[in-house]
Amino acid sequence: MNLRNNQITVGEVLNNPQARALMQRQFPVLFRNQTMLRRAWNMPLNQAMNMASRYVPQNVINQTLNQLRAL
């Protein structure tokens, strides 16, 4: 998947079924909180991952980005 230098929006990522499944596995809290998901939908991926780094180890974020790129 082309993440466009991590400028792709979270919504664009989640519109891909494989990417959505990956994100659900890696960040289940996001999908349990619909308000958070709506706020993140139009956010660039790099901004969302920066916010996630407060709660998720950086190695998980890096692994997720690598897996997204491989799709």
Side-chain angles (χ1 to χ4, degrees), residues 19-32:
R20 183 181 194 91
L22 172 63
M23 296 288 278
Q24 284 178 314
R25 281 192 309 275
Q26 296 293 82
F27 309 107
V29 171
L30 177 64
F31 291 88
R32 286 193 294 259

Side-chain angles (χ1 to χ4, degrees), residues 17-51:
Q18 290 176 306
R20 183 181 194 91
L22 172 63
M23 296 288 278
Q24 284 178 314
R25 281 192 309 275
Q26 296 293 82
F27 309 107
V29 171
L30 177 64
F31 291 88
R32 286 193 294 259
N33 185 331
Q34 291 301 305
T35 301
M36 191 184 314
L37 185 60
R38 279 193 300 276
R39 287 182 183 161
W41 193 264
N42 292 314
M43 191 179 291
L45 188 60
N46 67 335
Q47 184 179 350
M49 292 300 184
N50 282 339
M51 291 175 68

Side-chain angles (χ1 to χ4, degrees), residues 13-14 16-32 37 49 55-57 60-61 63-71:
V13 171
L14 297 179
N16 176 305
Q18 290 176 306
R20 183 181 194 91
L22 172 63
M23 296 288 278
Q24 284 178 314
R25 281 192 309 275
Q26 296 293 82
F27 309 107
V29 171
L30 177 64
F31 291 88
R32 286 193 294 259
L37 185 60
M49 292 300 184
Y55 310 101
V56 178
V60 172
I61 292 170
Q63 179 185 31
T64 303
L65 290 171
N66 288 334
Q67 289 174 340
L68 287 171
R69 287 183 193 105
L71 293 179

